[in-house]
Amino acid sequence: MFLLNNYYHNNTDLIINIPGIPAEFVTIPEYITVHLDRPDEVAENITVPFIDYIKNVASSELYPTWPENALRANIHAIVSVALNRYILEWYRSRGYEFDITNSTQFDQAFVKGRGIYESIDRIVNEIFNDYVIRDGQVIPLFTTFCDGRLTSCNGLFQWGSVDLAEQGYTPMDILKYYFGDDISLVENAPVGGVGLAYPGEPLMPGDSSIIILRQQLGLNRIAMNFPAIPQIAPTNGYYGESTENTVREFQRIFNLPVTGIIDKATFYKIRQIYAAVSKLSELVVEGSIYEQIIEISKDAFLKGDIRPGVDLLQYLLSVMSVFYQSVPSVAITGIFDEQTRVAVIEFQKVMGLPATGIADKDTLNLLIRAALGIFSTLPPKEVYIPYLRFPGLPYRKGEGRESPGILIAQEMLSYISLAIPSISYISEDGIFGEETERAVIAFQQMFGLEATGVIDEATWNELSRVYMQQRYGELQPTL
């Protein structure tokens, strides 16, 4: 029977390496401190959200009636100037207690308390975390600009950008016209920390992920200070009707387009308001948003998960794909990606569960039972298991519940027992009973491990090594 032999040997190219985050990267600050005069003049320092700073400068420097491509090019320049000052600590490294000034002789205009033009507000919401770099460099370019009529500079002419836009130049064409062809635009840079950036596409009804769970928890915390915003229930990472209604009310209160979709502007406005109300809060019992995520997701896997056990889930879903045509096979990467979410949804549909894309307790239980039903009909020689990471928690006798990790360990032990008679053959049931404990102890004794009868990380790794060596004749690459 071809079962998992075909899957494993025909899809080894699916076990991929995910590129890491570069050693050097720029994070957009959530706040920036502005000195309201020339650097050496005594004046007020004001700290404002970075996005509001960009809106203020753009409304102070630009005209809202200009062509949109000109506005976008100029806003990219404004963002890049601010980031260059902030990242290089241009003023702080010289002993000042601010990041930038509002003097146009040194930096760019900022007017405390001024209004924001609607067109500029909309554009900044979209591109406030995009910035210009010189190719081969990391630090945002100090994109000098001036009006180009009353003053000139070795940089972008603001009125000249209007003329170029009217001739059909794109924002990037305009920037390259003034700064050269060897520049690029970094888009959607992380804000306030790695992993907290807008995911690149709107979050909308029907989606599910850890990012959505984080937004749900943030909105529920905001609702404590803004009672008109309804609490989301349940908070499980699935974007359902309750989440959509809450997002709509949040958008209405904070003057965003009321769509019920978390687009880039809504995503970062949630971040901004959550940070503000959290700093004001004295509710220490609330716990951090990260603690809540850990608690909620301890019995479930969501898109974005990289915890041990995701590769077990992916393997079992790929087993299901052999027997259920609608369930797609997935790459065993250990990363819960969109491909995995789709496979979970299709499995849930087959089993009559709510199609959330969340591998919750009910989904995992049915997945284990379905796998048991398949494995119980096959001899160990017809089941092929790829390398799977240690699931994270030790397995021991008496846990009394079915587990995918125990099921996989039993399959590996059963295959190993064919070549090592001192390790007794066991029936695969996904439950750690006495029969499994005896087999584990025998394996540990045979391979020089402490004979505890517990499948800890060392035992799991050795079990995988011996299984791979016997099954495939050589060690397989790890994830």
Side-chain angles (χ1 to χ4, degrees), residues 203-396:
L203 308 174
M204 58 183 61
D207 290 345
S208 56
S209 68
I210 288 178
I211 292 176
I212 290 170
L213 175 58
R214 194 181 193 287
Q215 299 306 299
Q216 290 173 329
L217 293 170
L219 284 164
N220 279 352
R221 175 61 192 85
I222 291 167
M224 295 170 64
N225 286 68
F226 295 87
I229 298 175
Q231 291 276 338
I232 297 170
T235 50
N236 60 0
Y238 178 70
Y239 204 130
E241 183 178 355
S242 177
T243 301
E244 183 179 3
N245 291 337
T246 295
V247 170
R248 286 181 179 276
E249 189 60 24
F250 176 87
Q251 291 169 328
R252 186 188 66 77
I253 289 174
F254 292 102
N255 299 314
L256 296 165
V258 181
T259 62
I261 294 170
I262 300 178
D263 57 8
K264 186 174 179 178
T266 303
F267 183 94
Y268 284 116
K269 180 60 74 171
I270 292 172
R271 279 280 307 278
Q272 179 186 339
I273 302 302
Y274 173 80
V277 299
S278 296
K279 288 174 182 175
L280 293 173
S281 175
E282 299 294 333
L283 300 176
V284 295
V285 297
E286 176 194 7
S288 76
I289 204 166
Y290 300 102
E291 291 169 342
Q292 294 177 70
I293 289 173
I294 291 169
E295 178 63 24
I296 291 169
S297 62
K298 66 182 180 181
D299 293 321
F301 293 101
L302 299 92
K303 183 179 175 182
D305 248 319
I306 56 172
R307 291 175 295 168
V310 171
D311 48 350
L312 281 171
L313 168 67
Q314 292 171 325
Y315 171 67
L316 293 180
L317 286 168
S318 292
V319 173
M320 296 303 110
S321 73
V322 177
F323 294 89
Y324 298 100
Q325 186 175 1
S326 62
V327 179
S329 180
V330 297
I332 304 172
T333 64
I335 300 169
F336 196 128
D337 53 11
E338 179 62 18
Q339 182 188 41
T340 305
R341 192 181 83 93
V342 170
V344 170
I345 288 173
E346 293 305 319
F347 177 78
Q348 289 170 328
K349 289 178 180 178
V350 168
M351 296 297 166
L353 295 171
T356 63
I358 301 170
D360 55 15
K361 196 176 291 186
D362 290 341
T363 302
L364 291 172
N365 286 341
L366 282 177
L367 188 57
I368 294 167
R369 289 170 193 163
L372 280 170
I374 294 169
F375 290 156
S376 64
T377 64
L378 300 172
K381 287 185 177 181
E382 293 186 10
V383 177
Y384 290 79
I385 300 172
Y387 172 81
L388 300 169
R389 292 177 299 171
F390 177 60
L393 294 174
Y395 297 115
R396 50 177 49 87

Side-chain angles (χ1 to χ4, degrees), residues 105-142:
Q105 183 179 349
F106 295 89
D107 300 300
Q108 45 199 13
F110 175 92
V111 179
K112 180 181 177 181
R114 73 150 299 135
I116 306 301
Y117 296 121
E118 183 176 342
S119 58
I120 287 174
D121 182 83
R122 174 180 57 81
I123 295 171
V124 173
N125 280 339
E126 295 178 21
I127 64 173
F128 77 96
N129 58 340
D130 301 347
Y131 59 88
V132 182
I133 60 170
R134 187 74 67 192
D135 291 347
Q137 299 183 10
V138 174
I139 299 300
L141 185 64
F142 193 79

Side-chain angles (χ1 to χ4, degrees), residues 52-173:
D52 290 347
Y53 168 79
I54 299 301
K55 290 177 181 179
N56 186 301
V57 173
S59 296
S60 301
E61 294 273 7
L62 312 175
Y63 289 86
T65 55
W66 283 359
E68 180 153 327
N69 282 353
L71 290 175
R72 287 179 176 269
N74 278 272
I75 290 169
H76 286 317
I78 289 168
V79 171
S80 299
V81 165
L83 284 177
N84 181 279
R85 289 292 201 226
Y86 181 88
I87 298 299
L88 292 178
E89 297 187 330
W90 181 262
Y91 291 107
R92 292 190 184 274
S93 66
R94 290 161 170 77
Y96 296 105
E97 295 183 354
F98 51 82
D99 302 305
I100 200 165
T101 75
N102 75 340
S103 168
T104 54
Q105 183 179 349
F106 295 89
D107 300 300
Q108 45 199 13
F110 175 92
V111 179
K112 180 181 177 181
R114 73 150 299 135
I116 306 301
Y117 296 121
E118 183 176 342
S119 58
I120 287 174
D121 182 83
R122 174 180 57 81
I123 295 171
V124 173
N125 280 339
E126 295 178 21
I127 64 173
F128 77 96
N129 58 340
D130 301 347
Y131 59 88
V132 182
I133 60 170
R134 187 74 67 192
D135 291 347
Q137 299 183 10
V138 174
I139 299 300
L141 185 64
F142 193 79
T143 41
T144 305
F145 57 83
C146 54
D147 71 357
R149 286 185 174 177
L150 299 177
T151 60
S152 62
C153 59
N154 186 25
L156 182 147
F157 288 7
Q158 293 169 321
W159 281 101
S161 70
V162 174
D163 296 335
L164 294 175
E166 288 174 344
Q167 295 174 42
Y169 280 56
T170 68
M172 203 60 202
D173 291 337

